[in-house]
């Protein structure tokens, strides 16, 4: 019973806090750039406005174009549900392994890319090609990061990984240090953040995520924007679970679930500030430099795995 409560609470918390995390990051970016931001609650207002509007669909759009927002939103919601953010006692834990998590991200990417090409616009195809390029380079690096943590716990289950890392002695592991840098690079690329993409611009020659969703409107666009916030939330929680797992309630300690929520909110707030600082200090790179950027992440992730295998550190 407690596991079911933890599972439902995780999903509800992700749905509620994902837009807030996005607004928090945008607000801090505005403060660091010495300008007045739109407000921390602006993502909620944006979603409410889009849900109240009618969806305009292109004349020649196939059913895939209409289904894609729901599939992407469902994938991101399930990803947030299988990542142990509050507790390791989750009914979905048997299916919540590293490969399943990467597979959910890949499934969402395939659907949104196919939907972008479905209408036949130039910008949709351009954005789809760029999105698949980033996914082709980022997913192997993400897998190597997760496999490095799996080598420590001898399991690819996310709940087992978090449970093992939370109970290890406090020490600096070189493998996790390399993996942490690689995970940060992958997170920036997968969430269309600076320096790979700038979510605040709509310049045709530089945008990636925005080019995918130019033809969407109304509730379809609201679901996609909510899914993008959920993806940022999922990557943030995955990073906290892998590299800062303290505060996650264990299966044999149900009372600690009461403290897990404020601890998670505090860690997400600190991570949001760190992301805003990193984006403020970085400059948007050319699209042709992105493969080198992600290749560096893959190399660091492979080094992390090799350090763990050969040195046990």
């Amino acid at each position: 019973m407690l596991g079911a409560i933890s599972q439902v609470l995780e999903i509800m918390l992700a749905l509620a806090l994902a837009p807030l995390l996005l607004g928090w990051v945008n607000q801090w970016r505005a403060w660091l750039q010495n300008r007045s931001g739109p407000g921390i609650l602006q993502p909620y207002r944006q979603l409410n406005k889009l849900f109240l509007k009618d969806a305009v669909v292109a004349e020649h759009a196939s059913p895939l174009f209409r289904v894609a927002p729901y599939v992407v939103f469902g994938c991101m919601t399930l990803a947030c549900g299988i990542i142990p953010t509050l507790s390791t006692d989750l009914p979905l834990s048997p299916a919540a392994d590293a490969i399943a998590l990467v597979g959910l991200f890949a499934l969402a990417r395939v659907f949104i890319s196919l939907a972008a090409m479905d209408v036949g616009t130039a910008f949709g195809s351009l954005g789809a090609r760029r999105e698949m390029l980033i996914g082709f380079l980022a997913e192997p690096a993400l897998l190597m990061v997760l496999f490095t943590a799996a080598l420590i716990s001898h399991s690819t289950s996310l709940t087992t990984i978090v449970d093992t890392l939370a109970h290890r002695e406090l020490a600096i592991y070189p493998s996790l240090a390399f993996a942490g840098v690689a995970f940060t690079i992958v997170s920036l690329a997968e969430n269309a953040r600076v320096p790979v993409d700038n979510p605040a611009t709509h310049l045709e020659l530089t945008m990636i995520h925005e080019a995918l969703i130019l033809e969407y409107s109304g509730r379809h666009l609201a679901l996609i924007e909510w899914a993008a916030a959920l993806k940022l939330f999922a990557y943030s929680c995955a990073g906290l679970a892998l590299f800062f797992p303290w505060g996650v309630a264990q299966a044999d300690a149900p009372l600690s679930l009461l403290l897990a929520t404020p601890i998670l909110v505090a860690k997400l707030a600190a991570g949001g500030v760190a992301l805003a600082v990193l984006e403020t200090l970085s400059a948007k790179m050319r699209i042709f430099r992105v493969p080198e950027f992600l290749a560096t992440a893959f190399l660091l992730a492979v080094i992390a795995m090799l350090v763990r295998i050969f040195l046990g550190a």
Side-chain angles (χ1 to χ4, degrees):
M1 184 62 183
L2 184 61
I5 294 176
S6 302
Q7 188 71 79
V8 174
L9 185 60
E10 280 199 0
I11 295 176
M12 297 301 295
L13 197 66
L15 293 174
L17 291 185
L20 185 63
L21 176 62
L22 185 61
W24 175 255
V25 174
N26 293 337
Q27 184 67 74
W28 268 94
R29 282 188 61 185
W31 288 341
L32 292 172
Q33 296 170 7
N34 197 25
R35 58 185 177 85
S36 178
I40 193 173
L41 299 179
Q42 180 60 29
Y44 295 104
R45 303 187 188 99
Q46 185 73 13
L47 291 177
N48 180 66
K49 181 178 69 173
L50 291 175
F51 273 120
L52 294 177
K53 288 186 175 182
D54 293 331
V56 179
V57 181
E59 180 181 358
H60 302 290
S62 71
L64 174 66
F65 185 82
R66 299 174 174 85
V67 171
Y70 300 95
V71 175
V72 174
F73 181 79
C75 288
M76 294 302 106
T77 303
L78 185 57
C80 293
I82 68 176
I83 297 174
T85 56
L86 297 178
S87 173
T88 57
D89 185 15
L90 301 175
L92 292 178
S93 58
D97 68 342
I99 301 176
L101 179 63
V102 178
L104 284 172
F105 291 139
L107 179 63
R109 176 181 293 107
V110 169
F111 266 87
I112 193 63
S113 299
L114 290 176
M117 294 186 294
D118 182 69
V119 183
T121 60
F123 288 131
S125 300
L126 179 144
R129 290 194 296 267
R130 291 179 176 180
E131 179 70 14
M132 295 306 294
L133 172 64
I134 291 177
F136 174 77
L137 298 171
E139 287 172 6
L142 180 59
L143 278 173
M144 293 300 103
V145 170
L146 295 174
F147 286 161
T148 301
L151 288 172
I152 298 177
S153 61
H154 305 287
S155 174
T156 58
S157 174
L158 294 175
T159 53
T160 304
I161 292 173
V162 173
D163 191 44
T164 303
L165 294 177
H167 285 88
R168 64 182 173 87
E169 63 276 9
L170 186 60
I172 298 177
Y173 285 80
S175 58
L176 288 181
F178 284 113
V181 177
F183 183 83
T184 302
I185 296 175
V186 171
S187 299
L188 293 174
E190 286 279 68
N191 290 281
R193 313 298 301 189
V194 178
V196 176
D197 193 11
N198 187 358
T201 184
H202 286 77
L203 296 177
E204 291 85 352
L205 297 179
T206 62
M207 60 184 176
I208 300 176
H209 173 72
E210 295 297 329
L212 293 169
I213 61 176
L214 281 177
E215 297 299 319
Y216 279 109
S217 59
R219 63 181 182 277
H220 295 154
L221 181 58
L223 287 174
I224 291 179
E225 293 291 357
W226 201 352
L230 285 170
K231 188 175 184 179
L232 178 62
F233 185 88
Y235 266 90
S236 301
C237 290
L240 294 175
L242 291 176
F243 306 106
F244 304 97
W246 304 282
V248 178
Q250 309 302 318
D252 56 351
L255 293 179
S256 59
L257 184 63
L258 299 176
L259 298 176
T261 301
I263 292 176
L264 175 64
V265 172
K267 290 193 292 186
L268 286 174
V273 174
L275 175 60
V277 172
L278 184 60
E279 287 192 296
T280 303
L281 297 177
S282 304
K284 171 73 171 62
M285 66 174 59
R286 296 175 60 195
I287 188 65
F288 299 108
R289 298 294 300 275
V290 173
E292 300 176 9
F293 187 66
L294 291 174
T296 303
F298 179 75
L299 179 61
L300 290 173
V302 171
I303 291 175
M305 191 170 64
L306 294 177
V307 168
R308 181 60 195 176
I309 293 174
F310 293 110
L311 301 180

